[in-house]
Each structure stands twice: as structure tokens, then as C-alpha cells.
Amino acid sequence: MAHTVMPSSQELPRVTSEDLKRARDRLRVAQARRHRWGKLSLLWLLIGPGVLVMLGENDAPSMLSYAATGATYGPGFFLPFILVTFLMAFIVQEMTVRLAAATHRGHAELIFERFGPFWGAFALVDLALGNLMTLVTEFIGIRAGLGFFGVPPVLAVLLALAVIALVVLTRRYWTWERIGLALATFNLVFIPVAVLAHPDPGQLLAAFLTWQPVPRWDQTTLLLLLADIGATVTPWMLFFQQSASVDKGVTGQDIAHGRLDTALGALLAAVAGIATAIATSPLFAHHVNASSFAGADFARALLPYVGRVGASLFALGIVEAGLLAAITIASSSAYAFGEVTRQPHSLNRSWREGWPFYCVLLVAAGLAAAVVLIPNAPLEFIVLIVNVYAVLSMPPALVFLTVLVNDREIMGEQANGSLANVLTVTVTLLICLAGLVYGIATVFPGLLPS
């Protein structure tokens, strides 16, 4: 009589809290697929990384860039232009959804596996430095936004750091994602500010239907044009959305919803960016020079035109933009660190199982917060360096992404087709060219027309 030999406990893989939590999430997805009326429920369950990455990219510096655009040129060329930049962002970020579904690997992990340890380490260091400097700018925005309400800088930064810690230490991806989505909706507060600015509907309609030419070609116009393009896609977005999609448990069946999630995020982010430009257009109409304005400066300048409520919403929007970006950017650093070093890297891990992941996330945010609180720290110089560093880091990040998504060995049927490659290469070249010109213009402003 044959006896079945049961494997010993040492041969069985250990079931972690990450496995159990993700299995529960996937069970709800499977149940929604079987339910006759489960389409809306399925959409609710599967959205998340795309909306978070797009609205996370609407960070404090980006919203201030849109505000400067509206204050400098009013409603016109830049309104439909902002919409086009987020279409470009969708083309790039959609590829990270397919990469996650096809490989179940994070972006840093794939670079490490497909390009070798040198490029894996390069990607990690490159991302870590860029993220740290960008995180500093987010805390600058948070401090400026709360400063409008009289909150002292130290208290503003500590409050933001506490919120980040509380959200992260839920130790549950689903909870973290839902809190992030709730926070992301506040990016839309710029819409009521735009309404309070009483824009001319005919002028707005004309801006979109006729797409007026660039107002003038000078140094300010070119810098704003390039800044808006360069802010469309940044390296942390590639790492974050792919890793978050893997942490969420996205599969090949979910790609259509992943695309929808990304498209919805791009649309909402574009609407918020356009609303910000419209909200500050009264400054253009009244010839207010906003070239040196920061977050609180814009809010104060808008008081005569949108009232106390509108100005307060604008300031809160800058705070939200910085806070959501800080959460997502710090998470992308932690994901990449865990992937390259083979440490547990999931927001579903318990503290005991995933303490390296949580430590990297919180230390990254803490270091950035500490820099902002240093007396007489060269914060304006840091903002400048962030822009220049983004120029240097985007080309290799986009090249890695394009090569990976064309690798049929890992992508299978989800690899790029001919049309996708045309769009990908076009967007990649445009972003790289815009970033390169922006970097040159920033370092050598004398080369631009005055």
C-alpha cells in the first residue's frame, strides 16, 4: 500500500501577512467579476495606482507652475496644452500597468534583472537622490500653504510628517490606497477657486476650440512651456505605479481597468491643472507680477478676486498637493529599495516582516522634512537643482521603460505593438528634448531670447 509523503514544514513556503491580505483583496475582485451587477464594484476595487500617480504628480511645484502660467498668460494657449501633456503622461504610464500585470515585478526589480546589478544600483541611487530632493520641495509647498493660515513652519512640517507616518503605518495596502484616493480628491479644490475667479466662458471655449498660438516667444514663455512638459512624467511615477500595481495584485485580466484607472487619473489631474491656471488668470487681467510668487503669495494675491474662501481653498490645495506627492514619492523609494535589495516591499506587510521597507519610507520623508527646517537652508537652490536633476534622470528612465515593454520574453502578448512604439518613441523624444532644453535654459539663461 502506497503512502503519501507529506512535505515537511521546512519545504512549505511561509504564508505571510502580505499573502493573506492580498488574497482577500483578490477574492473580492473575483466575486465582483462573477456578480451580474459587479462592474461598478469591480471598477471601485481596481482603481488606485493610476489616479494616485497622476494626482501625485500634481504636486506642490507643479500646481505653482500652473498658477504661474495662468497669472502670466491668462486663459489661452496653455489650457489645452496642459491637457496634451497629460495625454503624454497616459501613454507612458499605461506601459507600467502592462509591465506589472505581465511580470508581477516592480520597475527597479526588472531593471536589476534585465540590465544587471550595475544598472539596478544606478536606477536605485538615481531614484533615491531625485526623490529626496523632490520631497524637500513638497515640504516647502506644505509649509507655504499652511503658512497662509498662520501655522508656524516647524508645526506645519511636523504635522505633514505625522500624517505620512499614520497613513503608512496602517500596514494595509487597501487602506493606504483608499486614504490616498480620499486625499487626492482634494486636488480638485482648484475647480471651485476657478469658478470664484469668474472666468469668461466664451474665452475659455475659444481657448480649447481654436487653440490660440503661443502668446510670445521669450525666456519666460519658453521656461513655462518646458517646465509644464518636463513635469508631465518623472522617474518616481514609473517606479511607483508599477510597484503599487504589483502590491495591489494586478493581473492580465485587470489591464483594461488599469488603463481606465490611469486615464481617469490623467483626466482629473489635467482638469485640476487647468483649473489652477484659470484660478490665477485674474492676476494676468489686473497686471499683477507673479514671477516670484510661492504658495502663500498666490493665495494672498488672489484674495481681492476670489475672496477669503477661494484663497483658503487655493492654499489648502497646495498643502494637499505636497502631502499626497510626499506619500507617493516616499513609497516609490521604499518599493525600489526593497526590490533591488530583495527585502520585503509591500504595504501589506506587518512591521515585523517589512520593517526595512517602512524605515526607508519614513526616513526618506523625515530627511526631507529636516532639510526644510534647517535655518537659512538654500531652499530656492534645492528647487533649482531638482529641475536640473530631473533633466538628467528622465532620459535613462524612459529608455529603460521602452526597452522593457518591448521585451517579448517578459511581456509576451502584452509587449508594445507598432502603434504603441510610435507613440512611445514620440513622447519619449519630446519629453527628453523638452527636459534637455529646460536644463540648458536653466543653467544658461542667456541663451534664451529676452
Side-chain angles (χ1 to χ4, degrees):
M1 181 177 177
H3 295 279
T4 302
V5 179
M6 297 297 293
S8 68
S9 60
Q10 292 181 341
E11 295 173 327
L12 292 173
R14 187 171 66 89
V15 177
T16 65
S17 59
E18 175 186 351
D19 299 321
L20 293 173
K21 292 171 183 175
R22 188 175 297 128
R24 285 197 290 268
D25 293 341
R26 296 307 302 176
L27 177 60
R28 287 192 293 171
V29 171
Q31 290 170 339
R33 289 189 190 281
R34 292 194 299 266
H35 198 280
R36 183 178 178 183
W37 307 104
K39 289 186 177 180
L40 287 177
S41 176
L42 189 61
L43 177 62
W44 167 247
L45 292 171
L46 291 177
I47 64 168
V51 172
L52 289 178
V53 78
M54 292 295 185
L55 290 177
E57 176 55 14
N58 267 12
D59 60 354
S62 295
M63 303 315 283
L64 292 177
S65 175
Y66 297 138
T69 299
T72 305
Y73 297 107
F77 168 83
F78 280 96
L79 297 190
F81 179 73
I82 292 170
L83 191 60
V84 170
T85 62
F86 278 100
L87 176 60
M88 294 165 60
F90 169 78
I91 291 171
V92 173
Q93 291 302 128
E94 183 272 341
M95 290 187 285
T96 68
V97 177
R98 284 186 282 126
L99 274 169
T103 67
H104 306 291
R105 297 286 188 276
H107 201 63
E109 187 174 353
L110 277 184
I111 292 174
F112 190 92
E113 290 181 356
R114 303 305 290 180
F115 298 97
F118 172 81
W119 290 112
F122 168 83
L124 179 63
V125 173
D126 180 48
L127 180 73
L129 290 176
N131 280 6
L132 181 60
M133 289 188 291
T134 307
L135 280 168
V136 171
T137 67
E138 308 307 341
F139 280 101
I140 293 172
I142 293 169
R143 190 180 76 170
L146 288 177
F148 177 78
F149 303 100
V151 178
V154 174
L155 181 58
V157 170
L158 291 179
L159 283 173
L161 198 57
V163 170
I164 294 170
L166 289 173
V167 172
V168 168
L169 294 179
T170 57
R171 294 162 297 167
R172 181 80 165 89
Y173 176 85
W174 172 262
T175 306
W176 172 89
E177 184 184 75
R178 299 300 110 171
I179 294 174
L181 288 174
L183 185 61
T185 60
F186 284 92
N187 198 247
L188 302 178
V189 299
F190 292 100
I191 296 176
V193 182
V195 173
L196 291 170
H198 303 293
D200 181 351
Q203 193 177 21
L204 297 182
L205 189 62
F208 285 100
L209 293 181
T210 63
W211 199 349
Q212 302 157 21
V214 178
R216 60 181 181 271
W217 282 107
D218 58 14
Q219 181 174 335
T220 302
T221 303
L222 187 57
L223 284 176
L224 281 175
L225 189 72
L226 297 176
D228 287 345
I229 296 175
T232 302
V233 181
T234 51
W236 76 263
M237 295 173 68
L238 310 181
F239 288 84
F240 171 80
Q241 186 168 4
Q242 186 171 335
S243 297
S245 297
V246 171
D247 207 0
K248 189 178 179 70
V250 168
T251 67
Q253 286 183 299
D254 307 324
I255 289 178
H257 283 87
R259 289 193 183 106
L260 182 59
D261 175 35
T262 306
L264 177 62
L267 178 61
L268 292 174
V271 168
I274 290 168
T276 306
I278 294 173
T280 57
S281 59
L283 302 180
F284 165 77
H286 291 83
H287 309 289
V288 177
N289 184 2
S291 59
S292 61
F293 279 11
D297 296 324
F298 272 111
R300 293 189 189 98
L302 287 172
L303 273 169
Y305 312 110
V306 299
R308 183 72 188 182
V309 172
S312 298
L313 287 176
F314 188 95
L316 286 174
I318 297 299
V319 173
E320 175 279 332
L323 194 55
L324 179 63
I327 292 170
T328 51
I329 292 171
S331 298
S332 73
S333 294
Y335 276 130
F337 172 82
E339 291 162 10
V340 172
T341 60
R342 307 296 182 183
Q343 294 290 327
H345 46 276
S346 171
L347 286 157
N348 277 322
R349 289 276 183 168
S350 67
W351 173 259
R352 183 176 59 83
E353 294 171 334
W355 65 267
F357 172 83
Y358 292 115
C359 282
V360 169
L361 199 160
L362 294 174
V363 167
L367 283 175
V371 169
V372 175
L373 294 178
I374 296 175
N376 301 317
L379 300 182
E380 292 183 5
F381 177 73
I382 292 173
V383 172
L384 174 63
I385 290 297
V386 167
N387 292 332
V388 176
Y389 192 85
V391 173
L392 301 175
S393 60
M394 271 316 298
L398 288 171
V399 170
F400 285 143
L401 176 64
T402 304
V403 172
L404 285 171
V405 85
N406 278 282
D407 189 340
R408 293 193 175 275
E409 184 179 341
I410 62 173
M411 292 295 293
E413 63 181 14
Q414 298 301 335
N416 267 11
S418 299
L419 177 60
N421 272 329
V422 170
L423 293 173
T424 300
V425 172
T426 301
V427 170
T428 298
L429 289 176
L430 284 174
I431 291 175
C432 290
L433 179 62
L436 179 62
V437 175
Y438 181 71
I440 293 173
T442 303
V443 178
F444 305 106
L447 296 178
L448 297 181
S450 58

